[in-house]
DNA sequence: AGATTGATCCAT
DNA sequence: TGGATCAATCTG
């Protein structure tokens, strides 16, 4: 079973989407290579009041895509060297997105192997592996854009989903403590 | 704990 | 226009 998630999948509450993305497959065709990664770690950035979100200080040229239609990629550069891959969620004009932070490679490429699995633990490593940069930004998560998400029938038990505060957002005060990071063990 | 690295944003 | 900031990663 390989079903490409329709764009309407992303026009739902952001926290639910974040949880539902665990066990789904991020598939990319870039530079004549095909990669597939089972998503194991995500973070939600939900709404204009989320102080950890780029949208918290209002609409700018950079974060405008977060206010746009659901199912588009939001890619940006951090610390001058790492691209972060997010998928825009929720209705138009409501700024929200899910950051894809980690996964297990099932097709393509070569990387560090741990316990027989190729682990991408960290959002910068994931985009490096998939050769994603901001040229993907603002495109839709569908086949013709080169990157999309599939349901391949993997079931994740609700009891296997772990939560924690988000990484690297200590500045966000009370929002930094919210359990908006979801992950499953490798 | 410190260096890396550059786009973005806002105050000077 | 300049400088502070930053959803990270590596090395030690």
């Amino acid at each position: 079973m390989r079903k490409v998630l329709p764009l309407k999948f992303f026009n739902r509450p952001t926290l639910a989407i974040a949880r539902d993305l665990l066990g789904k497959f991020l598939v990319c065709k870039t530079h004549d290579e095909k990669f597939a990664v089972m998503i194991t770690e995500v973070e939600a950035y939900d709404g204009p009041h989320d102080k950890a979100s780029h949208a918290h200080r209002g609409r700018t040229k950079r974060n405008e895509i977060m206010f746009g239609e659901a199912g588009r990629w939001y890619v940006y550069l951090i610390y001058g060297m790492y691209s972060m891959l997010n998928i825009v969620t929720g209705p138009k004009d409501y700024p929200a997105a899910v950051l894809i932070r980690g996964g297990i490679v099932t097709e393509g490429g070569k990387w560090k192997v741990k316990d027989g699995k190729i682990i991408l633990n960290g959002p910068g490593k994931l985009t490096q592996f998939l050769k994603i940069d901001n040229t993907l930004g603002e495109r839709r998560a569908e086949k013709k854009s080169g990157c999309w998400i599939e349901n391949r029938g993997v079931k994740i038990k609700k009891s296997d989903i772990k939560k924690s505060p988000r990484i690297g957002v200590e500045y966000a005060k009370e929002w930094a403590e919210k359990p908006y990071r979801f992950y499953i063990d490798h």
Side-chain angles (χ1 to χ4, degrees), chain A residues 1-5 9-10 20-28 34-40 73 85 100 102-107 126 130 141 147-156 184:
Chain A
M1 167 188 173
R2 292 191 176 187
K3 185 171 181 296
V4 177
L5 296 186
F9 176 92
F10 302 101
D20 290 348
L21 283 178
L22 296 174
K24 300 296 188 292
F25 285 75
L26 172 63
V27 187
C28 288
K34 186 181 178 187
F35 303 95
V37 173
M38 191 183 83
I39 298 168
T40 59
W73 296 114
L85 177 64
I100 300 177
I104 300 174
V105 177
T106 59
E107 290 178 43
L126 184 123
L130 297 170
C147 267
W148 64 95
I149 300 179
E150 291 181 4
N151 183 352
R152 294 189 174 180
V154 174
K155 279 283 185 186
I156 304 295
I184 53 180

Side-chain angles (χ1 to χ4, degrees), chain A residues 84-144:
Chain A
M84 304 284 102
L85 177 64
N86 303 251
I87 183 89
V88 174
T89 60
K92 196 169 183 315
D93 294 321
Y94 181 83
V98 173
L99 168 65
I100 300 177
R101 291 188 55 91
I104 300 174
V105 177
T106 59
E107 290 178 43
K110 291 191 178 76
W111 204 254
K112 183 166 53 183
V113 175
K114 181 187 169 192
D115 296 335
K117 297 174 183 172
I118 304 173
I119 304 291
L120 300 173
N121 55 330
K125 294 187 209 173
L126 184 123
T127 53
Q128 241 177 47
F129 183 83
L130 297 170
K131 298 180 181 172
I132 288 173
D133 58 28
N134 60 3
T135 58
L136 181 66
E138 305 189 17
R139 307 180 73 124
R140 293 186 180 89
E142 57 193 6
K143 284 196 175 182
K144 69 181 178 192

